[in-house]
Amino acid sequence: MAVFDLRLKKLERDIEHAKTYDEYEAACIAHDNLSGADEWKALDESEDFDYKLIRKRVQRLQLARSKGDIHALMSILHEGLHGNLGNIANPILLTHCKIGTKHLIEQFIDEVTHALEQIVNAEENDVDFYEKLSFFDETAHAFGRSCLMLSGGAGLGFFHAGVVKSLNSKDLLPSVVSGASAGSIIAGMLGTRNRSELVESLSAEFIYETFKHWRSFAGLGKKGLFDSAVLENALIELFDLTTFEEAFKKTGRHITITVSPADLHQHSRLLNAKTSPNAIITQAVRASCAVPVIFSPVQLRAKTPSGDIVPYIPNRRFADGSLMADLPFERLARLYGVNHSIVSQTNPLAVPFISPNRIDSNSLWDISTRHLSQLAKSNSIFAIDMVERLTANKSAKLAIHKVRSIIDQQYVGNINILPKRQLRNLTQVLSNPTLESIEQLIRSGERASWPQLHVIKRNTKISEKLRYHLAQLKKREAFELGHLVR
């Protein structure tokens, strides 16, 4: 037993100090084999999810597939397919092993994807083309999709580059992405670059050369402490005059940049190809990065069909997107049908207080603590509302309103990727980066994402298959209607 324990300890050190994902994955697999987690995975029975429901669903899918009964497959998938059927996405399941999950859950996901393949390839004497199209359209809409949300974080935002780099290497990047403040820079890169171009743009050398002088003191008496021209020139080099619509046509990614109003009586805005197709990404990102006092607020700009650059939402200026919409999940859900979120969170106001997982303990102490935290948040918002109501000064009222927005936001998602809590992180928030600091942040982002890659792959596999097949069917329809040329 002692030898066994020593081998586990060594594997845990290997996991902790792995230099590549392949090393990390191999050590996790070996650990699960030695620890007995593999036996747990192979056993269907569990109190953490409805294994009987999932096992029955697998059997029904296998039977229908073996008979080639396409209508039965469509019926089975229609009647109850969703991302957390039987609680298969329960985060408690992740605590039993280092990597992977119950074989029954993985089998169910595989059976669903095989069924989708069989439906889309079925003979059209059995299933009409438009019946297939309708099935995939309705099922994809009902099932939902995942989004990636990149928080604010000023100089810490280059952590997002490591997260995106890791997801990109495994082809796991969601097509719906939002970015606030520093996160908007990486979101902008995602929207304007294809997979191979991202590799270069997310390198430490490229980021360092682009942003090594982003903090340039402007002097007292200015609208912002830092010279915004340095940051704006860097963003122009990155995005030029590309609009949200042009970016979507190039990459097919739905990127959203959040901005907050610089005055009262306005709500935060989500800028993307749906809400603001002609808005210019450079100015949107510049506005989202305009931390109050640090950078001056920005007037947005748009491109006309003739190519002229004109003001967008004239007479309004916008600032830091993370103040009011760090993670705009609810509005992304309305716009794009997302129901599952992957969050890369570097906001220094949030990271110290949140956990990378969403497993809630049910002890009396933890239940009481959660209740007291919610009570404190509600009371704080009530107190701020009262102070704002009694304040006459417009600038003070705006500042109070921003503080309320910061407290009232949700800073976590379904999957949370966080940097390690280190004091040196605070020194990087408003400092010019070094090549070494950027390399460290990117490595940190990659490492923090490794434990989540298997989870993300499982949680997104069905939705990605649904949308892939739907896109192929719609493309075929466009060809047959003469809207596209082969």
Side-chain angles (χ1 to χ4, degrees), residues 12 41 49 76 86 91-93 117 146 153 156 169 191 195 199 241 248 286 302 306 320 337 351 363 398 403 430 467:
E12 287 165 7
K41 294 176 190 177
F49 75 110
I76 293 167
I92 292 176
L93 290 165
E117 292 279 354
S146 295
L156 294 178
S169 69
R195 189 177 179 186
V199 174
L241 297 176
F248 175 71
R286 165 67 183 87
S306 62
D320 190 349
V351 169
S363 70
L398 178 61
V403 170
L430 293 177
R467 291 186 180 277

Side-chain angles (χ1 to χ4, degrees), residues 392-449:
N393 182 275
K394 186 177 179 180
S395 296
K397 190 183 274 291
L398 178 61
I400 293 167
H401 188 69
K402 300 298 186 192
V403 170
R404 184 196 192 282
S405 296
I406 292 171
I407 294 173
D408 196 28
Q409 290 189 61
Q410 177 78 9
Y411 290 100
V412 295
N414 298 104
I415 294 174
N416 302 296
I417 304 173
L418 312 173
K420 286 186 177 179
R421 295 166 184 163
Q422 298 173 320
L423 287 176
R424 69 175 177 176
N425 285 350
L426 295 177
T427 66
Q428 297 174 309
V429 172
L430 293 177
S431 62
N432 279 323
T434 63
L435 181 58
E436 182 184 8
S437 70
I438 292 176
E439 287 174 340
Q440 183 271 324
L441 282 169
I442 291 176
R443 280 198 305 271
S444 176
E446 287 183 277
R447 282 200 57 87
S449 68

Side-chain angles (χ1 to χ4, degrees), residues 329-340:
F329 179 75
E330 290 185 1
R331 282 188 281 175
L332 289 178
R334 290 197 297 270
L335 283 168
Y336 298 110
V338 301
N339 56 4
H340 178 266

Side-chain angles (χ1 to χ4, degrees), residues 2 17 54 62 132 245 291 426:
H17 300 293
I54 300 303
Q62 288 176 331
K132 290 182 187 178
E245 184 175 50
V291 182
L426 295 177

